[in-house]
Amino acid sequence: MKLAVWTYEGPPHVGAMRVATAMQGLHYVLHAPQGDTYADLLFTMIERRDRRPPVTYTTFQARDLGGDTAELFKTAAREAVERFRPEALLVGASCTAELIQDDPGGLARALGLPIPVVAVELPSYQKKENWGAAETFYQLVRAMAGPSVPPPGTARAPRAPGRAPRCNILGPTALGFRHRDDLREVRALLARLGVDVAVVAPEGATPADLARLGEADFNVVLYPETAGLAAAWLARNFAQPATKTVPIGVGATRDFIAEVAALAGLDAAPLLGEETSRLPWYSRSVDSTYLTGKRVFIFGDATHAIAAARVATEELGLEVVLLGTYSREFARDIRDAAARLGCAALVTDDYLEVEEKVAELRPELVLGTQMERHVAKKHGIPCAVISAPVHVQDFPARFSPQMGFEGANVLFDTWVHPLMMGLEEHLVAMFRDDFEFNDTAPSHLGHAAAAAPAPAPAALATAAAATDAVAWAPDAERELQRIPFFVRGKARRNTEAFARERGLSNITVEALYDAKAHYAR
Amino acid sequence: MRERGQREVFCGLTGIVWLHRKIQDAFFLVVGSRTCAHLIQSAAGVMIFAEPRFATAIIEERDLAGLADANEELDRVVARLLERRPDIRLLFLVGSCPSEVIKLDLSRAAQRLSRRIHPDVRVLNYSGSGIETTFTQGEDACLAALVPEMPAEPAGAAPSLLVVGALAEVVEDQMRRLFDAMGIARVHFLPPRRANELAPVGPNTLMLLAQPFLADTARALAGRGARRLPAPFPLGVEGTTMWLRAAAEAFGVDPTRFAAATAAGEARARGAVARHRERLAGRKIFFFPDSQLEVPLARFLSRELDMELAEVGSPYLHREHLAEELAMLPEGTALSEGQHLDRQLDRCRDARPDLVVCGLGLANPLEAEGMATKWSIELVFTPIQGYDQAGDLAALFSRPLLRRAKLEV
């Protein structure tokens, strides 16, 4: 058993629902107990979709367990096909149904339905939401496009002369973080390059569209977490290459344009010549100088975390203190990226472990998920959201991509906003006793200055363990309070490490400044 | 009418979302799957918590394969939790569908943890699984688990009144003032605001149910000798008066004193409700099953706001506790117990109601079809009982209609 205060991903059947809900003409029959329909709310409330997800649940209850739950499943599947008349049926089980082992795939096939039935096996006690989405999308692509796979060894026919290169866009799903606007931004980039889009999937695609995936010249993979498996299958069976760069950030967008142009046999130079992001100038303007070297903690799905680390270092001049992900499937990519940046790497789906790391590293900014907002609140650290899981406020009405040049503009505004602005930061450091402006909350966020957050028991325990018999002299402690709040945690930690190293049992003002000089960058 | 089929309802785990706010030193540890953890955070996670008071012990593959001793695992998880949160005084181990299906004995685990491992923390258990409980039944199961912990009332104690069901603090305070004014002094509430404030119970305890979904709790209290006072539920002017009167009569309160205590509140409430009648009278309302509050709400809306009832769906009809309510519904009201979602949606579309009370999984899709909806979960999260909330309760139903009238785009 594992203690989970918050979970970064839902169960794998929610991933399957994200694929089914994104598509058209597909229905999902899910063997699940009463109550699992809560997942509908993710789509109707968090994402505010205007129709019910195309999901029929068997919603069995305790009294059904003695009887024939398999019959319940068959009735539900038959009724769903009659009522919704889908092109194809997806069937599977949720975690509880997995325990009662009714085999939805076998049962659905035995019904002799007039449409293709795709069964997905999603091991709920091992795998999670993104894996469920990737596996479901892969199984659907294989089932629909499989029949048109050419015999092994068939060479791809060259593109007809005069015909624009065509690609598929793979990865956008329901309940994806900014998938709606990323798709619009990437479509616009592709159009400006002169690349046609054949099929976008899963979002908006029908099963018949999936059958046509092999016709495109190459694939654009926007979200490797959900589309990586399907793209690899398409590469093997249709010899379709796929993009590797995810266009989040100015640099990555430029690399992406060059990569797509190479795959399409086009010239990227004209599009690269017209810079359309404001991020580079905003970041170079002197107002941004104070951002230099601010210590940032990054956690999210692997794609967004790695992209954020590049933007943070190369485009905003921040210092990444930790790069982490809950996507175990991409652990290696995260470790490589962290090694390149020379920062700590963290691969975990344990919220408490992430929280401990934040407490230990005391960053000045946390870029994370909805869960890191809880951590940041507890520790009084500014925070911005860069990745799912997210809540309703991160499915905004306005255009807010993360990808492309406009996405970079959005990133600049979103990440800088929670930080205290330059002038206030200076004045708060100079005059510490102001009744209105003090070091607990930036005034541009509009909150009355709250009392400093009381350290939680866990934080205290960590602090006590770290202190390790090094005591602070009262005047040194007072001096420490003069250090601006967002670097104070780090100063405390460094000074204590410095004292321990030198065997000092008492930290004086002198020791504080010795440590400061020692760690000066 | 009884129906079976797909049920679009929450499981009892959802009760944690309000119960953890009500009992302030309690912690709710669900023993279940990632689905259970995901449910609770999807419901409550829009609030940003520095220290949440709920969590999930997620069952893993090795627990299922029997490779790990489930009890040892649970002890380890609880130890980690309590080390992190030394302020917890009451810990609920909450059963889920997976833990029920694999027959993990959480009641024995709770006893073991309480007695041996964490004597300072009371550990209790109840099931909030979807296979056994629907939405508010989670509160019923939780309160029923508290009943054996209530101290015994001494044999010759003066009669006391126990109000059962989680109420908003403001409502609780109002009720207490009303009972005071009638001269009923010994009034307790279940659940209490803090774990160590559990009311005593015994043969001289008279209980008044404030919520219609408390079948097991009432049975457990009856097992301790408490006697239930039959009454409709305190929704609307009429319901509140009858509910209060049931207590007044049992305690022998003089009718003039009762009238004096309630007159002002009743008059205020009538005025507040009347302001909404204009918008709601004659309008047709359709209830999808959700919380078991549907019957009392339908009674209030039909009798005090003159609404027409197209169908009143409830996940479960407890005919004994609802006897007074059912008698007050207009004759021939279409009642449905259980659900076949798609057929019920067909009936709803056919009925062309002016307002549909339904869960959030249906609300936006029905709005997009052109129907006005009132999402039902809010009725559990909002202070709606008593005189001074009667107007607010009516407003919950008139607001969606008002909004539709206002919006011009």
Side-chain angles (χ1 to χ4, degrees), chain B residues 266-325:
Chain B
E266 208 180 297
R268 245 188 345 254
R270 274 190 211 291
V273 169
R275 282 195 285 281
H276 299 279
R277 193 175 299 124
E278 190 186 337
R279 197 165 287 282
L280 292 175
R283 301 295 196 108
K284 200 195 289 183
I285 189 164
F286 191 107
F287 283 88
F288 278 83
D290 189 54
S291 62
Q292 301 183 46
L293 280 164
E294 296 82 4
V295 169
L297 289 170
R299 179 262 303 159
F300 163 65
L301 292 169
S302 71
R303 292 173 66 99
E304 296 184 38
L305 290 147
D306 302 325
M307 291 191 82
E308 191 189 322
L309 306 175
E311 177 173 331
V312 182
S314 178
Y316 178 66
L317 283 174
H318 193 290
R319 290 179 192 273
E320 189 193 334
H321 289 183
L322 286 176
E324 288 71 23
E325 293 283 356

Coordinates of all heavy atoms in Angstrom, one line a residue, chain B residues 266-325:
Chain B
E266 N -40.7 32.1 11.6 CA -41.6 31.6 10.6 C -42.1 32.7 9.7 O -42.1 32.6 8.5 CB -42.8 31.0 11.4 CG -43.5 29.9 10.6 CD -44.7 29.3 11.3 OE1 -44.4 28.7 12.3 OE2 -45.8 29.4 10.8
A267 N -42.4 33.9 10.3 CA -42.9 35.0 9.5 C -41.8 35.5 8.6 O -42.0 35.8 7.4 CB -43.3 36.2 10.5
R268 N -40.6 35.6 9.1 CA -39.4 36.0 8.3 C -39.2 35.1 7.1 O -39.0 35.5 6.0 CB -38.2 36.0 9.1 CG -37.5 37.3 9.4 CD -36.2 37.3 10.1 NE -35.7 36.1 10.7 CZ -35.7 35.9 12.0 NH1 -36.1 36.9 12.8 NH2 -35.2 34.8 12.6
A269 N -39.3 33.8 7.4 CA -39.1 32.8 6.4 C -40.2 32.8 5.3 O -39.9 32.7 4.1 CB -39.0 31.4 7.0
R270 N -41.4 33.0 5.7 CA -42.5 33.1 4.8 C -42.3 34.3 3.8 O -42.5 34.1 2.6 CB -43.9 33.4 5.5 CG -44.5 32.1 5.9 CD -46.0 32.3 6.4 NE -46.3 31.4 7.4 CZ -46.4 30.1 7.2 NH1 -46.3 29.6 6.0 NH2 -46.6 29.2 8.2
G271 N -41.9 35.4 4.3 CA -41.6 36.5 3.5 C -40.5 36.2 2.5 O -40.5 36.5 1.3
A272 N -39.4 35.6 3.0 CA -38.3 35.3 2.1 C -38.6 34.3 1.0 O -38.2 34.5 -0.1 CB -37.1 34.8 3.0
V273 N -39.4 33.3 1.4 CA -39.8 32.3 0.4 C -40.7 33.0 -0.7 O -40.6 32.7 -1.9 CB -40.5 31.1 1.0 CG1 -41.1 30.2 0.0 CG2 -39.5 30.4 1.9
A274 N -41.6 33.8 -0.2 CA -42.6 34.4 -1.1 C -41.9 35.1 -2.3 O -42.5 35.1 -3.4 CB -43.5 35.4 -0.4
R275 N -40.8 35.8 -2.0 CA -40.1 36.5 -3.1 C -39.7 35.6 -4.3 O -39.5 36.1 -5.4 CB -38.9 37.2 -2.5 CG -39.2 38.4 -1.7 CD -37.9 39.3 -1.5 NE -37.1 38.7 -0.5 CZ -37.3 38.8 0.8 NH1 -38.4 39.5 1.3 NH2 -36.5 38.3 1.7
H276 N -39.6 34.3 -4.0 CA -39.2 33.4 -5.1 C -40.4 32.7 -5.8 O -40.3 32.1 -6.8 CB -38.2 32.4 -4.6 CG -37.0 33.0 -4.1 ND1 -36.0 33.4 -4.9 CD2 -36.6 33.3 -2.8 CE1 -35.0 33.9 -4.1 NE2 -35.4 33.9 -2.9
R277 N -41.6 32.9 -5.1 CA -42.7 32.1 -5.6 C -43.1 32.6 -7.0 O -43.4 31.8 -7.9 CB -43.9 32.2 -4.7 CG -45.0 31.2 -5.0 CD -46.1 31.1 -4.1 NE -45.7 30.8 -2.7 CZ -46.0 31.6 -1.6 NH1 -46.6 32.7 -1.8 NH2 -45.5 31.2 -0.5
E278 N -43.0 33.9 -7.2 CA -43.4 34.4 -8.5 C -42.6 33.8 -9.7 O -43.2 33.4 -10.7 CB -43.1 35.9 -8.5 CG -43.6 36.7 -9.6 CD -43.1 38.1 -9.6 OE1 -42.7 38.6 -8.5 OE2 -43.1 38.8 -10.7
R279 N -41.3 33.5 -9.5 CA -40.5 33.0 -10.5 C -40.7 31.4 -10.7 O -40.5 30.9 -11.7 CB -39.0 33.2 -10.2 CG -38.1 33.0 -11.4 CD -36.8 33.7 -11.2 NE -36.8 35.1 -11.3 CZ -36.8 35.8 -12.4 NH1 -36.9 35.2 -13.5 NH2 -36.8 37.1 -12.4
L280 N -41.1 30.8 -9.5 CA -41.1 29.3 -9.6 C -42.5 28.7 -9.7 O -42.7 27.6 -10.1 CB -40.5 28.8 -8.3 CG -39.0 29.1 -8.2 CD1 -38.4 28.6 -6.8 CD2 -38.2 28.3 -9.3
A281 N -43.6 29.5 -9.3 CA -44.9 28.9 -9.3 C -45.3 28.4 -10.7 O -45.1 29.1 -11.7 CB -45.9 29.9 -8.8
G282 N -45.9 27.2 -10.7 CA -46.4 26.7 -12.0 C -45.3 26.1 -12.8 O -45.6 25.4 -13.8
R283 N -44.0 26.3 -12.4 CA -42.9 25.7 -13.2 C -42.8 24.2 -12.9 O -43.0 23.8 -11.8 CB -41.6 26.4 -12.9 CG -41.6 27.9 -13.2 CD -41.8 28.2 -14.7 NE -41.4 29.6 -14.9 CZ -40.3 29.9 -15.6 NH1 -39.5 29.0 -16.0 NH2 -40.0 31.2 -15.8
K284 N -42.4 23.5 -13.9 CA -42.3 22.0 -13.8 C -40.8 21.6 -13.4 O -39.9 22.1 -14.1 CB -42.7 21.4 -15.1 CG -43.1 19.9 -14.9 CD -43.2 19.2 -16.2 CE -44.4 19.6 -17.1 NZ -44.4 18.8 -18.3
I285 N -40.7 20.8 -12.4 CA -39.3 20.4 -12.0 C -39.2 18.9 -12.1 O -40.1 18.1 -11.8 CB -39.0 21.0 -10.6 CG1 -37.5 20.8 -10.2 CG2 -39.9 20.4 -9.5 CD1 -37.1 21.6 -9.1
F286 N -38.0 18.4 -12.4 CA -37.7 17.0 -12.6 C -36.4 16.7 -11.7 O -35.4 17.4 -11.9 CB -37.3 16.8 -14.1 CG -37.3 15.3 -14.5 CD1 -38.3 14.7 -15.2 CD2 -36.1 14.5 -14.1 CE1 -38.2 13.3 -15.6 CE2 -36.1 13.2 -14.5 CZ -37.1 12.6 -15.2
F287 N -36.5 15.7 -10.9 CA -35.4 15.4 -10.0 C -34.7 14.1 -10.5 O -35.4 13.0 -10.5 CB -35.8 15.1 -8.6 CG -36.2 16.4 -7.8 CD1 -37.4 16.9 -7.8 CD2 -35.2 17.0 -7.0 CE1 -37.7 18.1 -7.1 CE2 -35.5 18.1 -6.2 CZ -36.7 18.6 -6.3
F288 N -33.4 14.2 -10.8 CA -32.6 12.9 -10.9 C -32.2 12.5 -9.5 O -32.0 13.3 -8.6 CB -31.4 13.2 -11.8 CG -31.7 13.1 -13.3 CD1 -32.2 14.3 -13.9 CD2 -31.5 12.0 -14.0 CE1 -32.6 14.2 -15.3 CE2 -31.8 12.0 -15.4 CZ -32.3 13.1 -16.0
P289 N -32.0 11.2 -9.3 CA -31.6 10.7 -8.0 C -30.2 11.1 -7.7 O -29.3 11.1 -8.5 CB -31.7 9.2 -8.1 CG -31.5 8.9 -9.6 CD -32.1 10.1 -10.3
D290 N -29.9 11.5 -6.4 CA -28.6 11.9 -6.0 C -28.4 11.7 -4.5 O -27.5 10.9 -4.1 CB -28.5 13.4 -6.4 CG -27.1 13.9 -6.2 OD1 -26.2 13.3 -6.7 OD2 -26.9 14.9 -5.4
S291 N -29.2 12.4 -3.7 CA -28.8 12.5 -2.2 C -29.8 11.9 -1.3 O -29.6 11.9 -0.1 CB -28.5 13.9 -1.9 OG -29.7 14.7 -2.1
Q292 N -31.0 11.6 -1.7 CA -32.2 11.2 -0.9 C -32.8 12.5 -0.3 O -33.8 12.4 0.4 CB -31.8 10.3 0.3 CG -31.3 8.9 -0.1 CD -31.0 8.0 1.0 OE1 -31.9 7.9 1.9 NE2 -29.9 7.4 1.0
L293 N -32.3 13.7 -0.6 CA -33.0 14.9 -0.2 C -34.1 15.2 -1.2 O -34.9 16.1 -0.9 CB -32.0 16.1 -0.2 CG -31.0 16.2 0.9 CD1 -29.9 17.2 0.6 CD2 -31.8 16.7 2.1
E294 N -34.3 14.4 -2.2 CA -35.2 14.8 -3.3 C -36.6 14.9 -2.8 O -37.4 15.8 -3.2 CB -35.1 13.8 -4.5 CG -33.7 13.8 -5.2 CD -32.7 13.0 -4.5 OE1 -33.0 12.3 -3.5 OE2 -31.5 13.0 -4.9
V295 N -37.1 13.9 -2.0 CA -38.5 13.9 -1.6 C -38.8 15.1 -0.7 O -39.7 15.9 -1.0 CB -38.9 12.6 -0.9 CG1 -40.2 12.7 -0.2 CG2 -38.8 11.5 -1.9
P296 N -38.0 15.4 0.4 CA -38.3 16.6 1.1 C -38.2 17.9 0.3 O -39.0 18.8 0.5 CB -37.2 16.7 2.2 CG -36.7 15.3 2.3 CD -37.0 14.6 1.0
L297 N -37.3 18.0 -0.6 CA -37.2 19.2 -1.5 C -38.4 19.3 -2.4 O -39.0 20.4 -2.5 CB -35.9 19.1 -2.3 CG -34.6 19.3 -1.6 CD1 -33.4 18.9 -2.5 CD2 -34.5 20.7 -1.1
A298 N -38.8 18.2 -2.9 CA -40.0 18.2 -3.8 C -41.2 18.7 -3.0 O -42.1 19.5 -3.5 CB -40.3 16.8 -4.4
R299 N -41.3 18.2 -1.8 CA -42.4 18.6 -0.9 C -42.4 20.1 -0.7 O -43.4 20.8 -0.8 CB -42.3 17.8 0.4 CG -43.4 18.1 1.5 CD -42.9 19.1 2.5 NE -41.7 18.7 3.2 CZ -40.9 19.6 3.9 NH1 -41.2 20.9 3.9 NH2 -39.9 19.1 4.5
F300 N -41.2 20.6 -0.4 CA -41.1 22.1 -0.1 C -41.5 22.9 -1.4 O -42.2 23.8 -1.4 CB -39.7 22.4 0.3 CG -39.2 23.8 0.2 CD1 -39.9 24.8 1.0 CD2 -38.2 24.2 -0.7 CE1 -39.5 26.1 0.9 CE2 -37.8 25.5 -0.7 CZ -38.4 26.5 0.1
L301 N -40.9 22.4 -2.5 CA -41.1 23.2 -3.8 C -42.6 23.1 -4.2 O -43.1 24.1 -4.8 CB -40.2 22.7 -4.9 CG -38.7 23.0 -4.6 CD1 -37.8 22.2 -5.6 CD2 -38.4 24.5 -4.6
S302 N -43.2 22.0 -4.0 CA -44.6 21.9 -4.4 C -45.6 22.6 -3.5 O -46.5 23.3 -3.9 CB -45.1 20.5 -4.6 OG -45.2 19.8 -3.4
R303 N -45.3 22.5 -2.2 CA -46.3 23.1 -1.2 C -46.1 24.6 -1.0 O -47.0 25.3 -0.7 CB -46.3 22.3 0.1 CG -46.9 20.9 -0.1 CD -46.7 20.1 1.2 NE -47.4 20.6 2.3 CZ -48.6 20.1 2.7 NH1 -49.1 19.1 2.0 NH2 -49.2 20.6 3.7
E304 N -44.8 25.0 -1.0 CA -44.5 26.4 -0.6 C -44.2 27.3 -1.8 O -44.2 28.5 -1.7 CB -43.4 26.4 0.5 CG -43.8 25.7 1.8 CD -42.7 25.9 2.8 OE1 -42.1 26.9 3.0 OE2 -42.5 24.9 3.6
L305 N -43.9 26.7 -2.9 CA -43.5 27.5 -4.1 C -44.4 27.1 -5.3 O -44.2 27.7 -6.4 CB -42.1 27.3 -4.4 CG -41.2 28.0 -3.4 CD1 -39.9 27.3 -3.2 CD2 -40.9 29.5 -3.7
D306 N -45.4 26.2 -5.0 CA -46.3 25.9 -6.1 C -45.7 25.4 -7.4 O -46.2 25.6 -8.5 CB -47.2 27.1 -6.4 CG -48.0 27.6 -5.2 OD1 -48.3 26.8 -4.3 OD2 -48.1 28.8 -5.0
M307 N -44.6 24.6 -7.2 CA -44.0 24.0 -8.4 C -44.7 22.7 -8.7 O -45.3 22.1 -7.9 CB -42.5 23.8 -8.2 CG -41.7 25.1 -8.2 SD -39.9 24.8 -8.3 CE -39.7 24.6 -10.0
E308 N -44.6 22.4 -10.0 CA -45.3 21.1 -10.5 C -44.2 20.0 -10.5 O -43.1 20.3 -11.0 CB -45.8 21.4 -11.9 CG -46.7 20.3 -12.4 CD -47.1 20.6 -13.8 OE1 -47.3 21.8 -14.2 OE2 -47.1 19.6 -14.6
L309 N -44.5 18.9 -10.0 CA -43.4 17.8 -9.9 C -43.6 16.9 -11.1 O -44.6 16.1 -11.2 CB -43.5 17.0 -8.6 CG -43.5 17.9 -7.3 CD1 -43.8 17.0 -6.1 CD2 -42.2 18.6 -7.2
A310 N -42.6 16.9 -12.0 CA -42.6 16.0 -13.2 C -42.2 14.5 -12.7 O -42.9 13.6 -13.0 CB -41.7 16.4 -14.3
E311 N -41.1 14.4 -12.1 CA -40.6 13.1 -11.5 C -39.7 13.4 -10.4 O -38.9 14.3 -10.4 CB -39.9 12.3 -12.6 CG -39.4 11.0 -12.1 CD -38.8 10.1 -13.1 OE1 -39.2 10.1 -14.3 OE2 -37.9 9.3 -12.8
V312 N -39.8 12.6 -9.3 CA -39.0 12.8 -8.2 C -38.1 11.5 -8.1 O -38.7 10.5 -7.7 CB -39.8 13.0 -6.9 CG1 -38.8 13.2 -5.7 CG2 -40.6 14.3 -7.1
G313 N -36.9 11.5 -8.5 CA -36.0 10.4 -8.4 C -35.2 10.4 -7.2 O -34.7 11.5 -6.7
S314 N -35.0 9.2 -6.6 CA -34.2 9.2 -5.4 C -33.4 7.9 -5.5 O -33.8 6.9 -6.0 CB -35.0 9.2 -4.1 OG -34.2 9.0 -3.0
P315 N -32.1 7.9 -5.0 CA -31.3 6.7 -5.1 C -31.9 5.6 -4.2 O -31.7 4.4 -4.5 CB -29.9 7.1 -4.6 CG -30.1 8.4 -3.9 CD -31.3 9.0 -4.4
Y316 N -32.6 6.0 -3.1 CA -33.1 5.1 -2.2 C -34.2 5.7 -1.4 O -34.1 6.9 -1.0 CB -31.9 4.7 -1.2 CG -32.3 3.7 -0.1 CD1 -32.7 2.4 -0.4 CD2 -32.2 4.1 1.2 CE1 -33.0 1.5 0.6 CE2 -32.6 3.2 2.2 CZ -33.0 2.0 1.9 OH -33.3 1.1 2.9
L317 N -35.3 5.0 -1.2 CA -36.4 5.6 -0.5 C -36.6 4.9 0.8 O -37.0 3.7 0.8 CB -37.7 5.5 -1.3 CG -38.0 6.4 -2.4 CD1 -39.2 6.0 -3.2 CD2 -38.1 7.9 -2.0
H318 N -36.3 5.6 1.9 CA -36.4 4.9 3.2 C -37.9 5.3 3.7 O -38.1 6.4 4.2 CB -35.4 5.5 4.2 CG -35.3 4.7 5.5 ND1 -36.3 4.7 6.4 CD2 -34.4 3.9 6.0 CE1 -36.0 3.9 7.4 NE2 -34.8 3.4 7.2
R319 N -38.8 4.3 3.5 CA -40.2 4.7 3.6 C -40.6 5.1 5.0 O -41.5 5.9 5.2 CB -41.1 3.6 3.1 CG -40.9 3.5 1.5 CD -41.7 2.4 0.8 NE -41.1 2.4 -0.5 CZ -41.6 3.1 -1.5 NH1 -42.6 4.0 -1.3 NH2 -41.0 3.1 -2.7
E320 N -39.9 4.5 6.0 CA -40.3 4.8 7.4 C -39.8 6.3 7.7 O -40.6 7.1 8.2 CB -39.6 3.9 8.3 CG -40.1 4.0 9.8 CD -39.2 3.2 10.7 OE1 -38.6 2.2 10.3 OE2 -39.1 3.6 11.9
H321 N -38.6 6.6 7.4 CA -38.1 8.0 7.7 C -38.8 9.0 6.9 O -38.9 10.2 7.2 CB -36.6 8.1 7.5 CG -35.8 7.3 8.6 ND1 -34.5 7.3 8.7 CD2 -36.3 6.6 9.6 CE1 -34.1 6.6 9.7 NE2 -35.2 6.1 10.3
L322 N -39.3 8.6 5.7 CA -39.9 9.6 4.8 C -41.5 9.6 4.9 O -42.1 10.3 4.1 CB -39.5 9.3 3.4 CG -38.1 9.6 3.0 CD1 -37.8 9.2 1.5 CD2 -37.8 11.1 3.1
A323 N -42.0 8.8 5.9 CA -43.5 8.6 5.9 C -44.2 10.0 5.9 O -45.1 10.2 5.1 CB -43.9 7.8 7.1
E324 N -43.7 10.9 6.8 CA -44.4 12.2 6.9 C -44.3 13.0 5.6 O -45.2 13.7 5.2 CB -43.8 13.0 8.1 CG -44.2 12.5 9.4 CD -43.5 11.2 9.8 OE1 -42.5 10.9 9.2 OE2 -44.1 10.5 10.7
E325 N -43.1 12.9 5.0 CA -42.8 13.6 3.7 C -43.7 13.1 2.6 O -44.3 13.9 1.9 CB -41.3 13.4 3.3 CG -40.4 14.1 4.3 CD -40.3 15.6 4.1 OE1 -41.0 16.1 3.2 OE2 -39.6 16.3 4.9

